[in-house]
């Protein structure tokens, strides 16, 4: 990757966004922390506080160990996303869509807060899946998470598939699990055709989602990264901003904070 990064003031970056006509937004866990959902790798992240928790998101460990599945189901039951509300950063992306300049939001998040904030579902590409559904790892049957959590509340600590008896898991992408190819292709097309990509609240360490930054840059788009910590793609960004997401994103997008 060639180095093209620069330190640009917020008002200059806001000008780039105002002039752009096809903006792709790539969001990670950092955009939802102001809604009370912890990130994974930050100072207070889920994996920072409990490195063993990463096993809950690793497919091989999940399939092999019923104890991990039981812990995962408790985590789904108690997940803060169920009561979380969209924050100012989410709201600013709704305003961006209303302006007609939002190409798409590619989100690594599974919390559904973009849609809850008011972004159109057809504008949101959930590249890592959704926690609102459950899938069977054997027969691929999909059902609502609500139904599975009712079973957990009734005493089933590791509910199985009612169709085939297979292992159930949230319809999210775990480590060791392939992305949904049509979803990935859609995200890549959006990165190839945008004129500006802004990555918000993502460490840009998980592939292939992170590679969308380079796809966009190679196609000639400007790249802006808004994240508290350094990312591997900072060197190719046109601007890197470290300001709090809930404060700076509404300013960048001209939305009320």
């Amino acid at each position: 990757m060639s180095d093209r990064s620069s330190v640009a003031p917020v008002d200059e970056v806001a000008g780039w966004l105002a002039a752009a006509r096809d903006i792709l937004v790539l969001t990670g866990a950092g955009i939802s922390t102001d809604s009370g959902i912890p990130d994974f790798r930050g100072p207070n992240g889920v994996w920072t506080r409990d490195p063993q928790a990463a096993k809950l998101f690793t497919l091989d460990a999940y399939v092999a160990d019923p104890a991990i599945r039981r812990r995962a189901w408790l985590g789904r039951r108690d997940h803060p996303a169920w009561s979380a509300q969209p924050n100012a950063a989410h709201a600013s992306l709704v305003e961006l869509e209303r302006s007609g300049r939002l190409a798409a939001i590619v989100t690594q998040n599974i919390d559904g807060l973009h849609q809850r904030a008011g972004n159109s579902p057809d504008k949101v590409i959930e590249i890592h899946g959704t926690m609102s559904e459950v899938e069977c790892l054997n027969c691929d049957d999909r059902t609502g998470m609500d139904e599975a959590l009712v079973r957990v509340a009734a005493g089933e600590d590791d509910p199985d598939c009612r169709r085939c008896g297979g292992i159930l898991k949230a319809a999210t992408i775990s480590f060791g699990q392939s992305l949904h190819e049509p979803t990935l292709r859609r995200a890549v097309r959006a990165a190839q055709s945008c004129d500006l990509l802004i990555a918000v609240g993502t460490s840009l360490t998980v592939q292939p989602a992170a590679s969308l930054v380079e796809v966009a840059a190679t196609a000639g788009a400007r790249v802006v990264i808004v994240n508290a910590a350094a990312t591997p793609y900072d060197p190719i960004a046109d601007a890197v901003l470290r300001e709090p997401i809930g404060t700076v994103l509404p300013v960048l997008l001209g939305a009320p904070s």
Side-chain angles (χ1 to χ4, degrees):
M1 292 185 292
S2 61
D3 190 331
R4 65 182 214 180
S5 63
S6 67
V7 178
V10 170
D11 58 351
E12 181 178 351
V13 177
W16 299 348
L17 285 154
R21 288 295 168 263
D22 289 289
I23 299 172
L24 177 62
V25 185
L26 174 62
T27 65
I31 198 171
S32 293
T33 55
D34 281 354
S35 296
I37 301 175
D39 60 15
F40 295 100
R41 296 177 176 84
N44 296 306
V46 174
W47 299 339
T48 306
R49 290 183 284 107
D50 179 11
Q52 292 299 309
K55 291 182 179 179
L56 304 177
F57 303 90
T58 303
L59 186 63
D60 287 348
Y62 186 87
V63 170
D65 192 342
I68 287 177
R69 294 201 296 275
R70 289 192 292 269
R71 184 179 172 191
W73 281 109
L74 292 177
R76 291 167 191 143
R77 181 196 67 185
D78 300 332
H79 200 288
W82 303 125
S83 58
Q85 296 299 314
N87 61 57
H90 294 106
S92 68
L93 297 181
V94 177
E95 293 301 318
L96 177 62
E97 180 178 344
R98 289 172 179 164
S99 77
R101 296 178 295 119
L102 176 66
I105 299 170
V106 176
T107 186
Q108 297 171 270
N109 299 337
I110 60 172
D111 53 38
L113 286 180
H114 289 302
Q115 298 93 317
R116 208 179 306 168
N119 281 114
S120 304
D122 60 358
K123 287 286 188 180
V124 181
I125 303 173
E126 294 178 308
I127 198 166
H128 289 164
T130 175
M131 63 181 290
S132 67
E133 294 183 346
V134 171
E135 65 179 352
C136 174
L137 296 177
N138 182 54
C139 73
D140 298 324
D141 187 42
R142 281 206 178 201
T143 54
M145 178 63 76
D146 288 349
E147 177 184 331
L149 292 182
V150 167
R151 294 172 63 186
V152 172
E156 294 185 58
D157 56 8
D158 182 17
D160 59 8
C161 176
R162 283 183 162 158
R163 173 177 289 183
C164 75
I167 293 173
L168 292 181
K169 188 181 80 67
T172 57
I173 304 299
S174 299
F175 292 112
Q177 190 172 18
S178 298
L179 268 63
H180 185 236
E181 277 300 322
T183 301
L184 178 59
R185 286 196 297 270
R186 185 181 168 205
V188 170
R189 286 195 300 268
Q192 290 170 332
S193 61
C194 71
D195 57 8
L196 187 147
L197 180 148
I198 179 167
V200 182
T202 169
S203 64
L204 296 176
T205 57
V206 178
Q207 298 292 355
S211 67
L212 296 174
V213 173
E214 189 167 13
V215 170
T218 300
R222 269 187 166 135
V223 171
V224 176
I225 296 175
V226 183
N227 196 58
T231 84
Y233 290 87
D234 289 359
I236 69 168
D238 294 279
V240 177
L241 302 176
R242 300 285 184 231
E243 285 82 354
I245 294 167
T247 301
V248 74
L249 196 59
V251 172
L252 290 174
L253 297 175
S257 61

